[in-house]
Amino acid sequence: MDTSTDGSAEQPAVAAAPPESLSPSRAGDFMQCPLLYRFRVIDKLPEKPSEAATRGTLVHAVLERLFDAPAVERTAPRAKSLIPGQWDRLRETRPEVAELFADDPEGERLARWLGEAEQLVERWFSLEDPTRLEPAERELFVEAVLDSGLKLRGIIDRVDVAPTGEVRIVDYKTGKAPRPEYAEGALFQMKFYALVVWRLKRVVPRRLQLVYLGSGDVVTYDPVPADLERVERKLLALWEAIRLATETGDWRPRPTKLCGWCDHQAVCPEFGGTPPPYPLPVRGPDGVVVAGAGSVPRQTRPLPVQVTDEDTAEGPAGGPGEV
């Protein structure tokens, strides 16, 4: 899961810097809309918390903490009882989420929202049996540097290791499973993680498993080295496109139906806005700086590399903000 600043006046300014690594979320941002990637990674523009994303964070925390209990105590009532405490903890660590229910003085909308989180947690028990699981890792931060120098990083929800040593990577999704034509795109994040694990441990995970709590579906995929090699080539092409956009300052918007959920419409040219001055130096084709930080690069060139193959989904399953 990614973190971001809340944009408050008390936060110290973070100097802009070229991106140094790639995560599944940021890769997805660039494929969805290069300008969105710029706003999040280069400009670090603040974004308002959403009910869907915050609910996903809450459910993830509950499922992670449930495994602290002995196997026999990992029951649905026990899991649901963790929700209030994890919600309090989330508000302490991310005070901005309290804004979600600032206009709910009677607490009716909050109660309904917490009830939806309970339903998602309870549905998980119809999909997996936590009394029979002993995860090797939970919320595991992974990072690997490819031979090309590209640094990949991310956080895996759960890693299971069989007695025979076979590895299963599990990811919880609080949205609904995607339509069949987008099933391949939904696995992109999992293949990203499998590639990182393969490069770190020299072991190809036996299974990738997506658990969709919103619809009650479990999607599995068993990768082979050829799959992960293809993902690596895709990521290298993607990183080259990001590198060129970073140097030229040419970040194009890519309008889709997901624009309706974007926090940055006010500064997006597609909605009549003007992006903030580009905070990094702009370089010409020969690598020479042609404009300093604070310039407004002209967007007259096509994106240097298009990465829109079958691994690209239409967006997060279940709608923007679902985790």
Side-chain angles (χ1 to χ4, degrees), residues 177-178 183 187 208-212 217-221:
L187 286 168
L208 310 178
Q209 182 166 302
L210 284 159
V211 182
Y212 288 96
D217 295 296
V218 176
V219 176
T220 62
Y221 183 81

Side-chain angles (χ1 to χ4, degrees), residues 170-205:
V170 181
D171 193 72
Y172 308 119
K173 297 294 184 184
T174 50
K176 297 179 180 179
R179 298 193 299 270
E181 60 266 35
Y182 294 110
E184 185 68 21
L187 286 168
F188 171 73
Q189 175 185 11
M190 304 301 285
K191 291 180 180 180
F192 184 110
Y193 290 144
L195 172 62
V196 174
V197 170
W198 185 32
R199 292 309 185 208
L200 281 175
K201 306 294 185 181
R202 302 301 174 185
V203 174
V204 175

